[in-house]
PDB file of all heavy atoms in Angstrom:
ATOM      1  N   ASP B 102    -136.014 -90.878 239.695  1.00 83.00           N
ATOM      2  CA  ASP B 102    -136.572 -90.691 238.355  1.00 83.00           C
ATOM      3  C   ASP B 102    -135.787 -91.475 237.314  1.00 83.00           C
ATOM      4  O   ASP B 102    -136.357 -92.064 236.405  1.00 83.00           O
ATOM      5  CB  ASP B 102    -136.539 -89.211 237.944  1.00 83.00           C
ATOM      6  CG  ASP B 102    -137.384 -88.372 238.877  1.00 83.00           C
ATOM      7  OD1 ASP B 102    -138.255 -88.971 239.556  1.00 83.00           O
ATOM      8  OD2 ASP B 102    -137.169 -87.150 238.919  1.00 83.00           O
ATOM      9  N   LEU B 103    -134.473 -91.424 237.467  1.00 82.00           N
ATOM     10  CA  LEU B 103    -133.629 -92.023 236.431  1.00 82.00           C
ATOM     11  C   LEU B 103    -133.708 -93.536 236.452  1.00 82.00           C
ATOM     12  O   LEU B 103    -133.552 -94.180 235.423  1.00 82.00           O
ATOM     13  CB  LEU B 103    -132.181 -91.568 236.633  1.00 82.00           C
ATOM     14  CG  LEU B 103    -131.930 -90.097 236.289  1.00 82.00           C
ATOM     15  CD1 LEU B 103    -130.612 -89.621 236.846  1.00 82.00           C
ATOM     16  CD2 LEU B 103    -131.971 -89.915 234.772  1.00 82.00           C
ATOM     17  N   GLY B 104    -133.961 -94.105 237.631  1.00 80.00           N
ATOM     18  CA  GLY B 104    -134.082 -95.553 237.717  1.00 80.00           C
ATOM     19  C   GLY B 104    -132.856 -96.230 237.162  1.00 80.00           C
ATOM     20  O   GLY B 104    -131.730 -95.929 237.562  1.00 80.00           O
ATOM     21  N   SER B 105    -133.066 -97.127 236.205  1.00 81.00           N
ATOM     22  CA  SER B 105    -131.922 -97.799 235.599  1.00 81.00           C
ATOM     23  C   SER B 105    -131.652 -97.275 234.185  1.00 81.00           C
ATOM     24  O   SER B 105    -131.002 -97.934 233.384  1.00 81.00           O
ATOM     25  CB  SER B 105    -132.168 -99.312 235.552  1.00 81.00           C
ATOM     26  OG  SER B 105    -133.357 -99.568 234.832  1.00 81.00           O
ATOM     27  N   ASP B 106    -132.181 -96.067 233.888  1.00 84.00           N
ATOM     28  CA  ASP B 106    -131.937 -95.485 232.574  1.00 84.00           C
ATOM     29  C   ASP B 106    -130.442 -95.174 232.400  1.00 84.00           C
ATOM     30  O   ASP B 106    -129.760 -94.827 233.345  1.00 84.00           O
ATOM     31  CB  ASP B 106    -132.702 -94.161 232.422  1.00 84.00           C
ATOM     32  CG  ASP B 106    -134.190 -94.397 232.371  1.00 84.00           C
ATOM     33  OD1 ASP B 106    -134.591 -95.568 232.236  1.00 84.00           O
ATOM     34  OD2 ASP B 106    -134.948 -93.416 232.489  1.00 84.00           O
ATOM     35  N   ARG B 107    -130.039 -95.248 231.135  1.00 87.00           N
ATOM     36  CA  ARG B 107    -128.674 -94.798 230.818  1.00 87.00           C
ATOM     37  C   ARG B 107    -128.634 -93.283 230.749  1.00 87.00           C
ATOM     38  O   ARG B 107    -129.521 -92.656 230.168  1.00 87.00           O
ATOM     39  CB  ARG B 107    -128.244 -95.372 229.474  1.00 87.00           C
ATOM     40  CG  ARG B 107    -127.454 -96.639 229.555  1.00 87.00           C
ATOM     41  CD  ARG B 107    -127.020 -97.076 228.176  1.00 87.00           C
ATOM     42  NE  ARG B 107    -125.750 -96.461 227.766  1.00 87.00           N
ATOM     43  CZ  ARG B 107    -124.567 -96.913 228.154  1.00 87.00           C
ATOM     44  NH1 ARG B 107    -124.483 -97.932 228.973  1.00 87.00           N
ATOM     45  NH2 ARG B 107    -123.470 -96.315 227.729  1.00 87.00           N
ATOM     46  N   PHE B 108    -127.646 -92.697 231.330  1.00 88.00           N
ATOM     47  CA  PHE B 108    -127.460 -91.248 231.190  1.00 88.00           C
ATOM     48  C   PHE B 108    -125.984 -90.932 231.388  1.00 88.00           C
ATOM     49  O   PHE B 108    -125.183 -91.822 231.665  1.00 88.00           O
ATOM     50  CB  PHE B 108    -128.335 -90.483 232.184  1.00 88.00           C
ATOM     51  CG  PHE B 108    -127.957 -90.685 233.632  1.00 88.00           C
ATOM     52  CD1 PHE B 108    -127.165 -89.739 234.289  1.00 88.00           C
ATOM     53  CD2 PHE B 108    -128.364 -91.801 234.320  1.00 88.00           C
ATOM     54  CE1 PHE B 108    -126.812 -89.923 235.623  1.00 88.00           C
ATOM     55  CE2 PHE B 108    -128.015 -92.002 235.657  1.00 88.00           C
ATOM     56  CZ  PHE B 108    -127.241 -91.056 236.312  1.00 88.00           C
ATOM     57  N   ARG B 109    -125.657 -89.660 231.242  1.00 90.00           N
ATOM     58  CA  ARG B 109    -124.263 -89.252 231.437  1.00 90.00           C
ATOM     59  C   ARG B 109    -124.151 -88.465 232.734  1.00 90.00           C
ATOM     60  O   ARG B 109    -125.037 -87.691 233.082  1.00 90.00           O
ATOM     61  CB  ARG B 109    -123.778 -88.383 230.280  1.00 90.00           C
ATOM     62  CG  ARG B 109    -123.643 -89.120 228.971  1.00 90.00           C
ATOM     63  CD  ARG B 109    -122.860 -88.252 228.010  1.00 90.00           C
ATOM     64  NE  ARG B 109    -122.634 -88.904 226.728  1.00 90.00           N
ATOM     65  CZ  ARG B 109    -123.353 -88.641 225.643  1.00 90.00           C
ATOM     66  NH1 ARG B 109    -124.329 -87.760 225.688  1.00 90.00           N
ATOM     67  NH2 ARG B 109    -123.069 -89.256 224.503  1.00 90.00           N
ATOM     68  N   LEU B 110    -123.083 -88.700 233.431  1.00 91.00           N
ATOM     69  CA  LEU B 110    -122.874 -88.085 234.731  1.00 91.00           C
ATOM     70  C   LEU B 110    -121.532 -87.387 234.739  1.00 91.00           C
ATOM     71  O   LEU B 110    -120.516 -87.956 234.316  1.00 91.00           O
ATOM     72  CB  LEU B 110    -122.950 -89.177 235.806  1.00 91.00           C
ATOM     73  CG  LEU B 110    -122.783 -88.785 237.281  1.00 91.00           C
ATOM     74  CD1 LEU B 110    -123.609 -89.718 238.133  1.00 91.00           C
ATOM     75  CD2 LEU B 110    -121.329 -88.831 237.723  1.00 91.00           C
ATOM     76  N   GLN B 111    -121.523 -86.142 235.183  1.00 91.00           N
ATOM     77  CA  GLN B 111    -120.253 -85.420 235.258  1.00 91.00           C
ATOM     78  C   GLN B 111    -119.809 -85.226 236.698  1.00 91.00           C
ATOM     79  O   GLN B 111    -120.625 -84.890 237.558  1.00 91.00           O
ATOM     80  CB  GLN B 111    -120.383 -84.044 234.613  1.00 91.00           C
ATOM     81  CG  GLN B 111    -119.046 -83.436 234.306  1.00 91.00           C
ATOM     82  CD  GLN B 111    -118.800 -82.047 234.867  1.00 91.00           C
ATOM     83  OE1 GLN B 111    -117.696 -81.560 234.768  1.00 91.00           O
ATOM     84  NE2 GLN B 111    -119.784 -81.406 235.481  1.00 91.00           N
ATOM     85  N   GLY B 112    -118.547 -85.423 236.940  1.00 91.00           N
ATOM     86  CA  GLY B 112    -117.998 -85.158 238.260  1.00 91.00           C
ATOM     87  C   GLY B 112    -116.483 -85.194 238.210  1.00 91.00           C
ATOM     88  O   GLY B 112    -115.894 -85.589 237.203  1.00 91.00           O
ATOM     89  N   THR B 113    -115.882 -84.771 239.278  1.00 91.00           N
ATOM     90  CA  THR B 113    -114.425 -84.739 239.343  1.00 91.00           C
ATOM     91  C   THR B 113    -113.920 -85.877 240.219  1.00 91.00           C
ATOM     92  O   THR B 113    -114.347 -85.991 241.375  1.00 91.00           O
ATOM     93  CB  THR B 113    -113.963 -83.393 239.942  1.00 91.00           C
ATOM     94  OG1 THR B 113    -114.573 -82.349 239.196  1.00 91.00           O
ATOM     95  CG2 THR B 113    -112.467 -83.277 239.876  1.00 91.00           C
ATOM     96  N   PRO B 114    -113.061 -86.740 239.682  1.00 91.00           N
ATOM     97  CA  PRO B 114    -112.529 -87.836 240.510  1.00 91.00           C
ATOM     98  C   PRO B 114    -111.811 -87.296 241.737  1.00 91.00           C
ATOM     99  O   PRO B 114    -111.063 -86.327 241.640  1.00 91.00           O
ATOM    100  CB  PRO B 114    -111.557 -88.541 239.549  1.00 91.00           C
ATOM    101  CG  PRO B 114    -112.002 -88.168 238.188  1.00 91.00           C
ATOM    102  CD  PRO B 114    -112.576 -86.799 238.299  1.00 91.00           C
ATOM    103  N   SER B 115    -112.067 -87.918 242.845  1.00 89.00           N
ATOM    104  CA  SER B 115    -111.456 -87.435 244.081  1.00 89.00           C
ATOM    105  C   SER B 115    -109.982 -87.811 244.122  1.00 89.00           C
ATOM    106  O   SER B 115    -109.477 -88.561 243.289  1.00 89.00           O
ATOM    107  CB  SER B 115    -112.185 -88.034 245.283  1.00 89.00           C
ATOM    108  OG  SER B 115    -112.001 -89.438 245.261  1.00 89.00           O
ATOM    109  N   ASP B 116    -109.307 -87.306 245.116  1.00 86.00           N
ATOM    110  CA  ASP B 116    -107.860 -87.506 245.177  1.00 86.00           C
ATOM    111  C   ASP B 116    -107.481 -88.948 245.488  1.00 86.00           C
ATOM    112  O   ASP B 116    -106.347 -89.353 245.265  1.00 86.00           O
ATOM    113  CB  ASP B 116    -107.267 -86.582 246.247  1.00 86.00           C
ATOM    114  CG  ASP B 116    -107.281 -85.140 245.784  1.00 86.00           C
ATOM    115  OD1 ASP B 116    -107.401 -84.940 244.558  1.00 86.00           O
ATOM    116  OD2 ASP B 116    -107.199 -84.236 246.627  1.00 86.00           O
ATOM    117  N   GLU B 117    -108.406 -89.695 246.035  1.00 83.00           N
ATOM    118  CA  GLU B 117    -108.123 -91.113 246.280  1.00 83.00           C
ATOM    119  C   GLU B 117    -107.813 -91.806 244.962  1.00 83.00           C
ATOM    120  O   GLU B 117    -108.590 -91.692 244.011  1.00 83.00           O
ATOM    121  CB  GLU B 117    -109.355 -91.785 246.895  1.00 83.00           C
ATOM    122  CG  GLU B 117    -109.517 -91.545 248.369  1.00 83.00           C
ATOM    123  CD  GLU B 117    -108.445 -92.275 249.158  1.00 83.00           C
ATOM    124  OE1 GLU B 117    -108.342 -93.501 248.991  1.00 83.00           O
ATOM    125  OE2 GLU B 117    -107.699 -91.605 249.890  1.00 83.00           O
ATOM    126  N   PRO B 118    -106.697 -92.504 244.867  1.00 84.00           N
ATOM    127  CA  PRO B 118    -106.420 -93.213 243.609  1.00 84.00           C
ATOM    128  C   PRO B 118    -107.501 -94.266 243.349  1.00 84.00           C
ATOM    129  O   PRO B 118    -108.028 -94.854 244.292  1.00 84.00           O
ATOM    130  CB  PRO B 118    -105.071 -93.880 243.866  1.00 84.00           C
ATOM    131  CG  PRO B 118    -104.504 -93.195 245.048  1.00 84.00           C
ATOM    132  CD  PRO B 118    -105.633 -92.670 245.861  1.00 84.00           C
ATOM    133  N   PRO B 119    -107.820 -94.496 242.082  1.00 87.00           N
ATOM    134  CA  PRO B 119    -108.830 -95.511 241.767  1.00 87.00           C
ATOM    135  C   PRO B 119    -108.355 -96.896 242.173  1.00 87.00           C
ATOM    136  O   PRO B 119    -107.160 -97.172 242.173  1.00 87.00           O
ATOM    137  CB  PRO B 119    -108.971 -95.413 240.248  1.00 87.00           C
ATOM    138  CG  PRO B 119    -108.210 -94.234 239.832  1.00 87.00           C
ATOM    139  CD  PRO B 119    -107.260 -93.865 240.905  1.00 87.00           C
ATOM    140  N   LEU B 120    -109.306 -97.754 242.519  1.00 87.00           N
ATOM    141  CA  LEU B 120    -108.975 -99.126 242.874  1.00 87.00           C
ATOM    142  C   LEU B 120    -109.299-100.043 241.710  1.00 87.00           C
ATOM    143  O   LEU B 120    -110.309 -99.858 241.037  1.00 87.00           O
ATOM    144  CB  LEU B 120    -109.814 -99.573 244.070  1.00 87.00           C
ATOM    145  CG  LEU B 120    -109.585 -98.856 245.393  1.00 87.00           C
ATOM    146  CD1 LEU B 120    -110.586 -99.371 246.410  1.00 87.00           C
ATOM    147  CD2 LEU B 120    -108.166 -99.092 245.866  1.00 87.00           C
ATOM    148  N   ARG B 121    -108.416-101.025 241.479  1.00 88.00           N
ATOM    149  CA  ARG B 121    -108.758-102.066 240.500  1.00 88.00           C
ATOM    150  C   ARG B 121    -109.616-103.100 241.212  1.00 88.00           C
ATOM    151  O   ARG B 121    -109.212-103.649 242.238  1.00 88.00           O
ATOM    152  CB  ARG B 121    -107.496-102.733 239.982  1.00 88.00           C
ATOM    153  CG  ARG B 121    -106.678-101.866 239.073  1.00 88.00           C
ATOM    154  CD  ARG B 121    -105.588-102.679 238.429  1.00 88.00           C
ATOM    155  NE  ARG B 121    -104.607-101.841 237.763  1.00 88.00           N
ATOM    156  CZ  ARG B 121    -104.814-101.255 236.591  1.00 88.00           C
ATOM    157  NH1 ARG B 121    -105.976-101.423 235.967  1.00 88.00           N
ATOM    158  NH2 ARG B 121    -103.887-100.508 236.057  1.00 88.00           N
ATOM    159  N   VAL B 122    -110.800-103.340 240.689  1.00 86.00           N
ATOM    160  CA  VAL B 122    -111.713-104.288 241.331  1.00 86.00           C
ATOM    161  C   VAL B 122    -112.282-105.209 240.250  1.00 86.00           C
ATOM    162  O   VAL B 122    -112.009-105.026 239.052  1.00 86.00           O
ATOM    163  CB  VAL B 122    -112.869-103.554 242.043  1.00 86.00           C
ATOM    164  CG1 VAL B 122    -112.345-102.668 243.148  1.00 86.00           C
ATOM    165  CG2 VAL B 122    -113.687-102.751 241.044  1.00 86.00           C
ATOM    166  N   PHE B 123    -113.059-106.181 240.687  1.00 86.00           N
ATOM    167  CA  PHE B 123    -113.827-106.990 239.739  1.00 86.00           C
ATOM    168  C   PHE B 123    -115.298-106.740 240.011  1.00 86.00           C
ATOM    169  O   PHE B 123    -115.744-106.771 241.159  1.00 86.00           O
ATOM    170  CB  PHE B 123    -113.487-108.468 239.874  1.00 86.00           C
ATOM    171  CG  PHE B 123    -112.219-108.816 239.163  1.00 86.00           C
ATOM    172  CD1 PHE B 123    -111.005-108.707 239.822  1.00 86.00           C
ATOM    173  CD2 PHE B 123    -112.243-109.217 237.837  1.00 86.00           C
ATOM    174  CE1 PHE B 123    -109.818-109.001 239.148  1.00 86.00           C
ATOM    175  CE2 PHE B 123    -111.068-109.502 237.175  1.00 86.00           C
ATOM    176  CZ  PHE B 123    -109.847-109.405 237.834  1.00 86.00           C
ATOM    177  N   TRP B 124    -116.020-106.465 238.963  1.00 83.00           N
ATOM    178  CA  TRP B 124    -117.462-106.222 239.121  1.00 83.00           C
ATOM    179  C   TRP B 124    -118.173-107.209 238.212  1.00 83.00           C
ATOM    180  O   TRP B 124    -118.001-107.191 236.990  1.00 83.00           O
ATOM    181  CB  TRP B 124    -117.804-104.785 238.725  1.00 83.00           C
ATOM    182  CG  TRP B 124    -119.241-104.429 238.945  1.00 83.00           C
ATOM    183  CD1 TRP B 124    -119.823-104.046 240.111  1.00 83.00           C
ATOM    184  CD2 TRP B 124    -120.261-104.420 237.963  1.00 83.00           C
ATOM    185  NE1 TRP B 124    -121.144-103.807 239.935  1.00 83.00           N
ATOM    186  CE2 TRP B 124    -121.457-104.020 238.612  1.00 83.00           C
ATOM    187  CE3 TRP B 124    -120.304-104.714 236.594  1.00 83.00           C
ATOM    188  CZ2 TRP B 124    -122.669-103.912 237.946  1.00 83.00           C
ATOM    189  CZ3 TRP B 124    -121.522-104.603 235.949  1.00 83.00           C
ATOM    190  CH2 TRP B 124    -122.681-104.201 236.610  1.00 83.00           C
ATOM    191  N   GLN B 125    -118.950-108.089 238.800  1.00 83.00           N
ATOM    192  CA  GLN B 125    -119.588-109.181 238.051  1.00 83.00           C
ATOM    193  C   GLN B 125    -118.577-109.897 237.166  1.00 83.00           C
ATOM    194  O   GLN B 125    -118.775-110.070 235.965  1.00 83.00           O
ATOM    195  CB  GLN B 125    -120.761-108.639 237.202  1.00 83.00           C
ATOM    196  CG  GLN B 125    -121.857-108.066 238.085  1.00 83.00           C
ATOM    197  CD  GLN B 125    -123.072-107.638 237.286  1.00 83.00           C
ATOM    198  OE1 GLN B 125    -123.021-107.524 236.077  1.00 83.00           O
ATOM    199  NE2 GLN B 125    -124.182-107.421 237.964  1.00 83.00           N
ATOM    200  N   ASP B 126    -117.479-110.241 237.776  1.00 84.00           N
ATOM    201  CA  ASP B 126    -116.391-110.971 237.117  1.00 84.00           C
ATOM    202  C   ASP B 126    -115.698-110.191 236.017  1.00 84.00           C
ATOM    203  O   ASP B 126    -114.951-110.756 235.222  1.00 84.00           O
ATOM    204  CB  ASP B 126    -116.886-112.317 236.529  1.00 84.00           C
ATOM    205  CG  ASP B 126    -117.367-113.236 237.630  1.00 84.00           C
ATOM    206  OD1 ASP B 126    -116.838-113.095 238.761  1.00 84.00           O
ATOM    207  OD2 ASP B 126    -118.234-114.072 237.366  1.00 84.00           O
ATOM    208  N   ARG B 127    -115.968-108.906 235.932  1.00 88.00           N
ATOM    209  CA  ARG B 127    -115.257-108.117 234.924  1.00 88.00           C
ATOM    210  C   ARG B 127    -114.324-107.145 235.622  1.00 88.00           C
ATOM    211  O   ARG B 127    -114.683-106.572 236.641  1.00 88.00           O
ATOM    212  CB  ARG B 127    -116.255-107.326 234.055  1.00 88.00           C
ATOM    213  CG  ARG B 127    -117.148-108.241 233.245  1.00 88.00           C
ATOM    214  CD  ARG B 127    -118.288-107.472 232.635  1.00 88.00           C
ATOM    215  NE  ARG B 127    -117.827-106.496 231.657  1.00 88.00           N
ATOM    216  CZ  ARG B 127    -118.640-105.615 231.072  1.00 88.00           C
ATOM    217  NH1 ARG B 127    -119.909-105.562 231.399  1.00 88.00           N
ATOM    218  NH2 ARG B 127    -118.164-104.782 230.171  1.00 88.00           N
ATOM    219  N   PRO B 128    -113.124-106.976 235.062  1.00 89.00           N
ATOM    220  CA  PRO B 128    -112.208-106.021 235.668  1.00 89.00           C
ATOM    221  C   PRO B 128    -112.772-104.614 235.566  1.00 89.00           C
ATOM    222  O   PRO B 128    -113.360-104.258 234.540  1.00 89.00           O
ATOM    223  CB  PRO B 128    -110.917-106.166 234.858  1.00 89.00           C
ATOM    224  CG  PRO B 128    -111.341-106.780 233.580  1.00 89.00           C
ATOM    225  CD  PRO B 128    -112.546-107.619 233.863  1.00 89.00           C
ATOM    226  N   ALA B 129    -112.610-103.842 236.599  1.00 89.00           N
ATOM    227  CA  ALA B 129    -113.211-102.510 236.630  1.00 89.00           C
ATOM    228  C   ALA B 129    -112.367-101.604 237.507  1.00 89.00           C
ATOM    229  O   ALA B 129    -111.478-102.042 238.204  1.00 89.00           O
ATOM    230  CB  ALA B 129    -114.645-102.581 237.167  1.00 89.00           C
ATOM    231  N   LEU B 130    -112.660-100.333 237.396  1.00 90.00           N
ATOM    232  CA  LEU B 130    -112.045 -99.336 238.259  1.00 90.00           C
ATOM    233  C   LEU B 130    -113.108 -98.809 239.210  1.00 90.00           C
ATOM    234  O   LEU B 130    -114.241 -98.550 238.790  1.00 90.00           O
ATOM    235  CB  LEU B 130    -111.493 -98.167 237.458  1.00 90.00           C
ATOM    236  CG  LEU B 130    -110.255 -98.378 236.611  1.00 90.00           C
ATOM    237  CD1 LEU B 130    -109.949 -97.097 235.854  1.00 90.00           C
ATOM    238  CD2 LEU B 130    -109.093 -98.765 237.505  1.00 90.00           C
TER     239      LEU B 130
END
Side-chain angles (χ1 to χ4, degrees):
Chain B
D102 298 340
L103 288 165
S105 57
D106 292 349
R107 265 183 87 81
F108 66 98
R109 291 193 178 101
L110 181 148
Q111 197 234 173
T113 307
S115 64
D116 288 341
E117 280 290 304
L120 295 175
R121 288 189 192 284
V122 297
F123 279 88
W124 184 82
Q125 296 185 346
D126 296 332
R127 296 168 65 186
L130 288 177

